[in-house]
Amino acid sequence: MTTLDTKRGAIAAAAPEPDEETGQFAAPEGEPHVHMGWVERWVNLAFVIVPAVLVAFAIASLWGVGVGWLHVVLMLGMGSATILGVSVGYHRLFAHRAFKTTASVRVALAIIGAMAAEGTVRRFVANHRRHHSHSDRDGDPHSPHTHEEHGVRGAVKGFWHAHIGWFTDKYREHPSEEKYAPEFCVPSGVKMVDESNGLWVMVGLIIPTVISGLWYQSWFAAGLGLLWGGVVRIFLVHHITWSVNSVCHLWGSRPFKSGDHARNNFIMGFIGMGEGWHNNHHAFPNSSRCGLKWWQFDAGWCVIWTLKKLGLAWDVRVPHEKRLAAAAQ
Ligand SMILES: [Zn+2]
Ligand SMILES: [Zn+2]
């Protein structure tokens, strides 16, 4: 049991406690599951297929229509912001409790993360805690290593499952949110954001549409803002996030003993805002910092460091030298 202090008062929730030393969450007894309904499965499939089709349309439109500098800025700016919302908010703060912050910052991170169109905090947290407690073993929701086939066919199947298949498969079951992420199932600001998740996805589409329309004073430009700052941006953010699950459990270095196949992938480290230093992360899951060397760029850590300097983050966890040395291989 833990007690969470929020602006709405102290709320008692049977939240799982991570191991103080390792930061790992143990799986709840019985490993409860909930079957995914067909509506959710088709919504998930739509979020894979529709952006991909519209990206093809956007690329085709480069011949003739082209793309304005503002659209590139909107795509990169909103892309970076929403990846950080997921990385700093959904992942490091909500799933791992790697630092503490104010109720307003928690809500702001939940809103920015929701604009990435990757679902609710409580669903993310439940899947992610289960991923860590079963990493690359039976029960891991999105490991590329838990299929039975070998060779090229097995590798392709594993990659597909870890990247997309795990949330579009017909017989998919979710880890129970009440058991794996109970602190997000009781009233709080973050739960209110979760309950209006679709609204925030829409806001994330409307922002680039309005900015582009007003800047260029045309409806056509508004449409291009929606396309590049909204849909193409969501497509890129999705595949970067999903690559942490697929690419970062397949290719890269393993400087630390993490007990699984998690790897540090240089490219994903940069474009994933620090999430691609995934072997570091699996070795020290409750660390606020994923890029542990000076050259391992970690934009998420830059955000947390800045929040700390502003007095908006505290109890910021980073592994001690002793733990780093003990886990090195
Ligand atoms: Zn992982
Ligand atoms: Zn994690």
Side-chain angles (χ1 to χ4, degrees):
M1 291 287 281
T2 188
T3 301
L4 301 174
D5 290 319
T6 73
K7 287 265 153 121
R8 303 171 135 238
I11 294 166
E17 282 296 332
D19 182 277
E20 192 54 38
E21 175 70 6
T22 64
Q24 297 283 11
F25 282 89
E29 257 174 61
E31 303 188 4
H33 276 73
V34 180
H35 189 68
M36 180 169 74
W38 65 270
V39 173
E40 188 179 352
R41 180 175 175 239
W42 279 100
V43 169
N44 289 351
L45 274 170
F47 270 96
V48 174
I49 296 166
V50 174
V53 170
L54 289 172
V55 163
F57 173 75
I59 292 169
S61 77
L62 288 173
W63 285 269
V65 177
V67 61
W69 65 267
L70 180 66
H71 302 126
V72 176
V73 169
L74 286 169
M75 181 180 78
L76 296 178
M78 289 210 51
S80 305
T82 51
I83 291 177
L84 284 170
V86 172
S87 167
V88 175
Y90 276 43
H91 185 209
R92 303 187 207 193
L93 175 62
F94 299 133
H96 291 294
R97 301 190 202 146
F99 63 99
K100 289 186 179 137
T101 186
T102 65
S104 330
V105 172
R106 287 172 71 85
V107 167
L109 286 169
I111 288 174
I112 299 166
M115 289 186 201
E118 295 183 5
T120 59
V121 168
R122 60 178 183 266
R123 173 59 54 80
F124 179 96
V125 168
N127 277 317
H128 195 70
R129 285 182 182 163
R130 188 166 166 84
H131 168 56
H132 277 271
S133 62
H134 294 73
S135 189
D136 290 322
R137 290 177 282 116
D138 273 353
D140 183 339
H142 47 63
S143 170
H145 299 283
T146 49
H147 54 283
E148 275 158 20
E149 286 180 65
H150 297 282
V152 177
R153 196 179 149 87
V156 172
K157 266 189 142 177
F159 179 87
W160 174 261
H161 171 74
H163 201 72
I164 289 172
W166 71 276
F167 61 86
T168 55
D169 285 350
K170 200 169 182 181
Y171 300 107
R172 163 95 176 113
E173 289 185 321
H174 293 301
S176 156
E177 293 162 11
E178 281 76 18
K179 295 288 181 191
Y180 279 88
E183 69 267 49
F184 299 104
C185 298
V186 292
S188 70
V190 173
K191 184 163 185 267
M192 282 168 72
V193 177
D194 267 1
E195 278 161 5
S196 48
N197 183 266
L199 168 75
W200 299 111
V201 175
M202 293 297 292
V203 170
L205 295 172
I206 291 167
I207 290 171
T209 310
V210 171
I211 292 176
S212 176
L214 291 177
W215 184 270
Y216 292 108
Q217 295 286 304
S218 96
W219 287 105
F220 186 70
L224 284 178
L226 173 64
L227 184 64
W228 290 98
V231 182
V232 178
R233 180 262 304 173
I234 284 178
F235 175 86
L236 293 174
V237 169
H238 278 176
H239 283 274
I240 288 170
T241 308
W242 301 339
S243 294
V244 175
N245 300 336
S246 56
V247 172
C248 295
H249 276 257
L250 286 167
W251 298 292
S253 62
R254 297 162 71 193
F256 293 109
K257 292 173 242 174
S258 61
D260 53 30
H261 294 274
R263 285 151 199 272
N264 285 346
N265 185 287
F266 192 79
I267 296 168
M268 290 312 303
F270 276 82
I271 62 175
M273 306 281 156
E275 292 294 313
W277 309 116
H278 205 55
N279 174 260
N280 296 354
H281 173 61
H282 272 257
F284 311 103
N286 62 352
S287 170
S288 286
R289 189 173 177 179
C290 296
L292 295 171
K293 298 262 194 249
W294 66 268
W295 51 268
Q296 292 176 336
F297 179 67
D298 182 352
W301 166 243
C302 296
V303 171
I304 298 167
W305 183 88
T306 307
L307 288 172
K308 188 181 174 191
K309 291 286 164 201
L310 293 171
L312 293 170
W314 58 93
D315 291 351
V316 175
R317 290 170 182 267
V318 281
H320 297 297
E321 288 297 329
K322 253 188 181 172
R323 278 191 65 205
L324 290 173
Q329 62 179 6

